[in-house]
Amino acid sequence: MIRAGTARLNSDLNTVSERSPFPVRTDNMSDGLLMEVCVDSVESAINAERGGAGRIELCCNLLEGGTTPSTGLLLVVKEKVRIPVYVMIRPRGGDFLYSAWEVEVMKRDMEQMKRGGADGLVFGALTGDGRVDVELCMELLAAARPLPVTFHRAFDMVHDPVVALEALVSLGFERVLTSGCDSSALEGLPVLKRLVEQAKGRIAIMPGGGITERNLQRILEGSGSQEFHCSARSSKDSSMKFRNSNVSMGGALSVPEYAVKVADVTKVRTLNAIAKNTL
């Protein structure tokens, strides 16, 4: 739950306002609907565009919430679609407290993705006590220039969303992807609404997490957001004829060996139509 006390914006935040390499966003970022689809394959990227998505978030390992994709995947996706492609920069699953080695990996990956034609980047970092890691984010934003950046769902793990949102505004993030600090965007709807009100157009609040055809209208109407994030996936059976049921290439929580999750054109179109009718 968002707490009322915002007086705890510390000196780090004031320093960011003075030193941030990115200006604080003051322009209107609500000029119509935008649907972002997270994808982990070329097929899903093509299906997302065909279904009417306005932007792609490209990643791999969606079972872990998304990690950095390969440069090969980015290059082929950029050849096949025309809509903007924002690339996830996350070196592993798990928490968002990164070691010096992991930060170096992130910076190297950012260099590769910029060279590969990424239209934007997606990342986030926290301190051990659940605050936005202001200093590290400043470093990463500087490395990302001139690309726009989304702060991902690390936001849902912060100690105080009010303070965290002000930090992201001061740092110059373009948007924040969030479920409202809850298990899904529907569960986090009250917080999403208050975040949109707090943002006042300075940063886009993009609901994401468990968004489906059944709840999208309620989430958009209840939050006031002009963007949303979903995977819109369906399961597709593998084309393998020979199957060894005794072996699995993943761990206990892996997806079925002979099934592939891909963005579904029909689901994307349906979600897009619901959103347009809502807004």
Side-chain angles (χ1 to χ4, degrees), residues 15 29 91 103 112 125 141 155 173 175 180 244 255:
T15 302
M29 293 180 290
V103 170
Q112 293 295 322
L141 283 165
F155 186 87
F173 281 90
R175 72 180 49 78
N244 184 350
V255 296

Side-chain angles (χ1 to χ4, degrees), residues 6-20 131-132 134-135 138 163 166-167 170-171:
T6 58
R8 224 161 31 85
L9 292 176
N10 55 29
S11 58
D12 280 348
L13 197 53
N14 293 330
T15 302
V16 171
S17 298
E18 297 171 3
R19 294 164 47 198
S20 172
R131 299 172 188 265
V132 173
V134 169
E135 293 302 318
M138 286 182 67
V163 175
E166 292 303 321
S170 294
L171 282 162

Side-chain angles (χ1 to χ4, degrees), residues 13 15 27 39 47 50 66 80 93 99 126 137 142 153-154 157 169 171 191 208 214 218 235 252 256 268 273:
L13 197 53
T15 302
D27 55 314
V39 307
N47 287 351
R50 286 176 58 197
K80 304 301 180 183
S99 69
L126 304 180
C137 284
R153 287 191 63 196
M157 300 300 190
V169 169
L171 282 162
V191 173
R214 294 184 298 276
R218 183 176 170 188
S235 184
V268 176

Side-chain angles (χ1 to χ4, degrees), residues 28-49:
N28 182 4
M29 293 180 290
S30 300
D31 297 330
L33 165 77
L34 196 146
M35 175 184 187
E36 177 179 274
V37 178
C38 59
V39 307
D40 60 357
S41 68
V42 178
E43 181 179 4
S44 287
I46 293 171
N47 287 351
E49 183 175 57

